[in-house]
Amino acid sequence: MNINMKMTMAFLDSKGVGYEANEEKNLIRIKSATKNMDPGIEVLVIFDEGETIGLRTFGYVNFPEEKTELMYKICSEVNKDYRWAKFYVDEEYHMVTLADDAVVEPDTCGEEVFRLVGNLVIIGGDAYPHFMKGLWG
């Protein structure tokens, strides 16, 4: 198991944070409640072989194909407004993904991952109404 994944799991356990770990794929799945989104948001923490990680919320917003151009526009607008996260359109699956990438160290990765996941959860909840307005407004 990746050392950063192991240290992150120990930190999350110490904080009482629930998660699902897939040691074979070097990832942790964290589900969290957030404002404006019911039932909440799911963040995958993907541990690379070195010191880098990727955080992804796939299917953050699903949309019909005819809304693709609008979703690009909304992603551009929210990317301008929020730090610590990026939004991008996946045209193949007609969805917006919320993402972040980071370099972490084994001694501090648990706290760093905890903070980064928290950032994505907050930003995801804050930005969600912009996408819903585009879809339904």
Side-chain angles (χ1 to χ4, degrees):
M1 175 189 324
N2 179 296
I3 185 67
N4 287 330
M5 181 176 172
K6 182 177 181 179
M7 298 302 287
T8 297
M9 290 167 55
F11 184 87
L12 295 175
D13 289 341
S14 76
K15 293 291 187 185
V17 175
Y19 62 90
E20 296 173 29
N22 184 327
E23 295 177 25
E24 195 174 289
K25 294 185 178 182
N26 284 325
L27 66 84
I28 295 173
R29 180 183 317 269
I30 301 171
K31 296 178 183 179
S32 179
T34 188
K35 71 178 184 178
N36 301 317
M37 296 180 73
D38 185 27
I41 197 167
E42 179 179 275
V43 179
L44 293 180
V45 183
I46 305 158
F47 295 86
D48 300 325
E49 286 303 314
E51 298 173 336
T52 60
I53 61 169
L55 294 92
R56 301 290 184 271
T57 298
F58 296 107
Y60 169 72
V61 172
N62 295 300
F63 58 87
E65 185 174 1
E66 62 270 11
K67 297 277 187 168
T68 301
E69 187 175 323
L70 177 61
M71 291 297 110
Y72 275 114
K73 182 178 182 210
I74 295 170
C75 282
S76 180
E77 290 170 4
V78 295
N79 279 330
K80 179 177 60 175
D81 293 337
Y82 293 99
R83 295 174 50 202
W84 306 109
K86 64 183 174 186
F87 299 82
Y88 65 88
V89 172
D90 183 323
E91 287 190 43
E92 181 179 354
Y93 296 103
H94 307 294
M95 68 180 185
V96 172
T97 297
L98 174 58
D100 191 13
D101 298 295
V103 176
V104 295
E105 298 289 330
D107 293 342
T108 57
C109 66
E111 187 173 350
E112 291 174 77
V113 168
F114 183 71
R115 180 178 292 161
L116 292 168
V117 168
N119 287 343
L120 281 187
V121 167
I122 291 167
I123 291 167
D126 285 348
Y128 194 70
H130 298 283
F131 290 96
M132 292 302 99
K133 183 178 178 186
L135 282 175
W136 309 111

